């Protein structure tokens, strides 16, 4: 009897340890390997801190939409994206993390941004989103993809300008109008 | 001099590693079985229904493509999808306009860009409804979306921007080669 319990106990300890190791592997793959692989994949096709146009043919896009995208990294600095607000039925700008899903607090659209008297809007990508102006919260993923989508544009869309600024630098101190 | 690990401990660690590897293999097999289940469910259910593409996980090939390239769902857009076959005849979509800022119909085989018809350019029937035809031949009707000649399987996309409700107020009826595959109606 005593031996049976010893054998069963040994199996139990071994299985619990093995399952913990397996769970750790899965967690590591999901939290580290998958986002890194996805970042690596789109880093090869999307410019860093510089918007490019995409026709949507690689992502089940729509021909009524224009897609402008860049990768971002705001681990040490804030980014300020400036562009003239497009004349369009709808537009939105958002940050997408390691799983290519939009981040919490990381999306604005034509109804939610402030547009200055010259017709521009300025969006700050930051790890400290409680600042003046419009911010995209990147705390969940300090590196990722920034996508600007314009639906049914009525004019040619210019590429937004991306500026790297020190964290927390007030908008007024940044030369805003491109 | 490196001290030797006690034999009992090393054999225990070895057995733990083997067991963890077995768990990993079981996990991979379960994932493969799940993918097979999804593929089977997708193509062999006799009457598929519109479903919301919350995570684009309805089509494993498309999901895999998006993991490797672009895979996302935008927070301001709703996608309703319906798997169809394009080799069984024209795909005809009949419905009524839904309350949204914008909506459109298109199709995908993979993640390519195809023609679409939207609320901005659709031609409505006299009764206020619409009929959209996806086909490989010459255009039929005012709302015709040409489908690639090589297309066999695909997914219809009903894309809605800023809908007035959480769900479309009416999902359209879909027929393939005259056979109804989704009856349409309210949710």
């Amino acid at each position: 009897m005593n031996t049976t319990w010893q054998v069963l106990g040994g199996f139990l300890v071994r299985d619990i340890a093995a399952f913990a190791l397996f769970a750790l592997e899965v967690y590591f793959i999901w939290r580290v390997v998958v986002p890194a692989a996805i970042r690596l994949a789109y880093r090869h096709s999307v410019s860093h801190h510089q918007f490019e146009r995409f026709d949507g043919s690689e992502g089940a896009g729509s021909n009524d939409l224009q897609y402008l995208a860049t990768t971002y990294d705001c681990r040490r600095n804030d980014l300020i994206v400036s562009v003239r607000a497009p004349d369009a039925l709808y537009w939105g700008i958002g940050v997408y993390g390691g799983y290519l899903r939009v981040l919490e607090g990381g999306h604005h659209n034509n109804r939610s941004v402030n547009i200055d008297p010259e017709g521009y809007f300025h969006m700050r990508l930051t790890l400290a989103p409680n600042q003046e102006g419009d911010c995209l919260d990147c705390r969940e993923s300090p590196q990722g993809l920034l996508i600007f989508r314009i639906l049914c544009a009525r004019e040619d869309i210019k590429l937004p300008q991306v500026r790297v600024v020190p964290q927390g630098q007030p908008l007024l101190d940044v030369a805003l109008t491109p | 001099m490196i001290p030797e690990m006690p034999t009992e401990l090393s054999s225990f660690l070895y057995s733990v590693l083997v067991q963890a590897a077995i768990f990993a293999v079981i996990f991979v097999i379960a994932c493969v079985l799940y993918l097979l289940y999804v593929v089977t469910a997708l193509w062999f259910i006799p009457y598929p229904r519109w479903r919301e593409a919350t995570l684009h996980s309805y089509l494993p090939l498309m999901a895999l493509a998006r993991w490797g390239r672009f895979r996302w769902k935008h927070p301001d857009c709703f996608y309703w999808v319906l798997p169809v076959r394009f080799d069984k005849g024209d795909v005809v979509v009949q419905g009524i306009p839904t309350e949204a800022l914008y909506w459109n119909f298109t199709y995908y085989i993979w993640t390519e860009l195809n023609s679409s018809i939207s609320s901005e350019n659709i031609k409505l029937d006299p009764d206020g409804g619409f009929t959209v035809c996806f086909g490989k031949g010459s255009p039929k009707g005012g709302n015709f979306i040409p489908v690639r000649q090589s297309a066999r399987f695909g997914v219809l996309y009903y894309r809605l921007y800023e809908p007035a409700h959480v769900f479309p107020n009416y999902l359209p009826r879909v027929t393939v080669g005259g056979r109804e595959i989704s009856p349409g109606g309210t949710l």
Side-chain angles (χ1 to χ4, degrees), chain A residues 6-24:
Chain A
Q6 276 177 350
V7 170
L8 282 177
F11 273 119
L12 198 63
V13 169
R14 189 195 67 179
D15 281 1
I16 288 171
F19 189 77
L21 189 63
F22 165 70
L24 205 65

Side-chain angles (χ1 to χ4, degrees), chain B residues 27-171:
Chain B
F27 181 68
V28 169
I29 290 171
C31 288
V32 170
L33 287 176
Y34 174 73
L35 282 179
L36 283 173
Y37 161 74
V38 172
V39 171
T40 315
L42 190 67
W43 298 124
F44 296 100
I45 289 175
Y47 295 103
R49 295 284 190 276
W50 288 99
R51 65 184 96 165
E52 193 184 0
T54 46
L55 290 174
H56 293 296
S57 55
Y58 51 90
L59 183 56
L61 285 179
M62 197 177 275
L64 288 174
R66 286 168 187 219
W67 273 118
R69 298 190 292 181
F70 290 81
R71 177 184 180 276
W72 49 66
K73 180 180 184 295
H74 303 296
D76 46 11
C77 188
F78 285 76
Y79 305 91
W80 286 78
V81 298
L82 180 70
V84 291
R85 294 190 67 156
F86 291 114
D87 57 350
K88 299 287 184 188
D90 289 346
V91 177
V92 177
V93 179
Q94 294 169 300
I96 56 173
T98 196
E99 294 171 35
L101 175 71
Y102 167 93
W103 46 266
N104 82 1
F105 287 101
T106 188
Y107 78 97
Y108 298 104
I109 300 164
W110 185 244
T111 58
E112 75 288 352
L113 185 67
N114 292 313
S115 303
S116 64
I117 285 181
S118 75
S119 51
E120 299 289 296
N121 59 12
I122 198 164
K123 296 177 180 70
L124 295 178
D125 300 333
D127 62 358
F130 60 77
T131 303
V132 178
C133 180
F134 296 76
K136 294 183 180 178
S138 52
K140 303 167 189 76
N143 302 312
F144 183 76
I145 295 179
V147 174
R148 292 161 195 244
Q149 289 298 327
S150 58
R152 289 182 62 213
F153 300 110
V155 179
L156 295 190
Y157 252 61
Y158 184 19
R159 183 187 256 109
L160 298 102
Y161 269 82
E162 296 199 339
H165 313 287
V166 176
F167 301 110
N169 38 348
Y170 187 88
L171 283 166

